[in-house]
Amino acid sequence: MWCYRGGSISTEPRINDRIRVPEVRLVGPSGEQVGIVPLAKALELAQEYDLDLVEVAASARPPVCKLMDYGKFKYESAMKAREARKNQAHTVIKEMKLRPKIDPHDYDTKKGHVVRFLKQGDKVKITIMFRGREQSRPELGYRLLQRLATDVEDLGFIESNPKQDGRNMIMVLGPHKKKTEAMAEAREAQAVRKAEAKANPGKSQNAAESDGVDEDFVDDVDTADDVDSAEETAEAPAPASAEV
């Protein structure tokens, strides 16, 4: 009885002398079908073309082998996989916390962050936090959530309707724009700014710093904004008269 005792299983195809079959179905360097030939003949052709004999379909009968530059093939495959990972978009759920009685200035600031998240193609979880007697007036939180959804309706939609969760009321906004589209637009805008900066060396320092911020977004879309977290945790209750 055979027992596997551990170790990695190679996923690399067999090449050249590692191929252990009497005959193979051979494919030429340009993709042409050579036909079924003895393994010795296939290896001889590989040496003649200065290429490798690579087993591309081991389960076929006989196995299918192709003449190719295996080192070049591995390099090109690695580059394609790297490019695919670079363009891969991950959906991120940002969170924004508000109080039912929020100062107008604070509301505008929070809304600005929500707008930025939606423009980046991220979902936003809006949490209304109730304290004390505020829990007896959930309509304040509901109206605030509806107001925010209306203010950003050009960029996002209500993906999850407001619902009570203990002392909190939660709503999720989804972006109209897909993450891949947002990333592509950010890269285009970054390229335009770099071209403008190159054409105008006297560009202001503030604009240059702004380019750096956008470049961070393009390179790492999954990084959360520390400023948002600091504002959410340090937010103080507004006066009772500032009702929405």
Side-chain angles (χ1 to χ4, degrees):
M1 178 178 178
W2 180 83
C3 178
Y4 176 66
R5 296 183 179 274
S8 59
I9 300 177
S10 175
T11 58
E12 296 285 334
R14 293 184 293 185
I15 65 172
N16 300 328
D17 295 336
R18 295 181 182 177
I19 302 173
R20 304 291 186 181
V21 291
E23 58 184 14
V24 299
R25 184 178 298 277
L26 186 62
V27 179
S30 301
E32 67 276 15
Q33 296 289 334
V34 178
I36 298 176
V37 299
L39 177 61
K41 177 64 175 178
L43 291 172
E44 181 181 335
L45 290 174
Q47 291 182 350
E48 181 180 334
Y49 284 105
D50 194 21
L51 295 172
D52 298 302
L53 181 66
V54 182
E55 189 178 58
V56 295
S59 60
R61 291 293 179 267
V64 180
C65 296
K66 184 176 181 179
L67 299 175
M68 68 172 72
D69 185 338
Y70 187 59
K72 181 180 179 181
F73 170 76
K74 286 187 66 177
Y75 174 78
E76 292 177 348
S77 298
M79 289 298 100
K80 289 179 180 178
R82 181 179 178 182
E83 187 66 21
R85 288 194 300 269
K86 180 179 178 182
N87 294 328
Q88 188 176 10
H90 300 280
T91 301
V92 179
I93 299 181
K94 305 288 187 177
E95 182 173 14
M96 187 61 58
K97 296 180 179 179
L98 298 85
R99 294 293 307 282
K101 299 176 181 180
I102 184 172
D103 181 83
H105 174 75
D106 291 339
Y107 173 81
D108 291 337
T109 301
K110 299 285 187 178
K111 184 181 71 174
H113 292 316
V114 174
V115 167
R116 177 162 56 87
F117 293 148
L118 292 174
K119 283 184 177 180
Q120 293 175 359
D122 294 323
K123 296 182 181 181
V124 187
K125 176 183 176 183
I126 312 296
T127 302
I128 304 295
M129 301 179 297
F130 296 95
R131 293 179 183 174
R133 289 182 295 177
E134 293 175 346
Q135 298 180 61
S136 63
R137 301 195 62 188
E139 69 277 3
L140 293 178
Y142 183 83
R143 290 208 307 264
L144 182 58
L145 291 176
Q146 291 297 323
R147 173 187 172 188
L148 181 59
T150 301
D151 289 345
V152 299
E153 61 183 357
D154 292 339
L155 300 171
F157 61 95
I158 299 177
E159 185 172 288
S160 178
N161 290 316
K163 62 180 180 179
Q164 195 78 21
D165 183 15
R167 294 185 177 183
N168 300 328
M169 182 174 289
I170 298 172
M171 177 181 72
V172 178
L173 296 175
H176 292 312
K177 186 184 301 182
K178 293 182 179 179
K179 189 74 175 182
T180 51
E181 296 175 359
M183 291 173 61
E185 290 181 4
R187 290 194 179 96
E188 291 176 2
Q190 178 185 336
V192 170
R193 284 192 298 272
K194 285 184 176 180
E196 291 177 350
K198 187 175 182 180
N200 302 286
K203 187 177 180 182
S204 67
Q205 183 65 26
N206 290 337
E209 292 176 355
S210 176
D211 290 344
V213 171
D214 288 339
E215 184 173 356
D216 290 341
F217 162 61
V218 173
D219 294 337
D220 188 6
V221 299
D222 290 342
T223 301
D225 196 331
D226 294 337
V227 176
D228 300 334
S229 299
E231 286 185 1
E232 291 162 8
T233 55
E235 182 185 16
S241 59
E243 293 189 6
V244 177

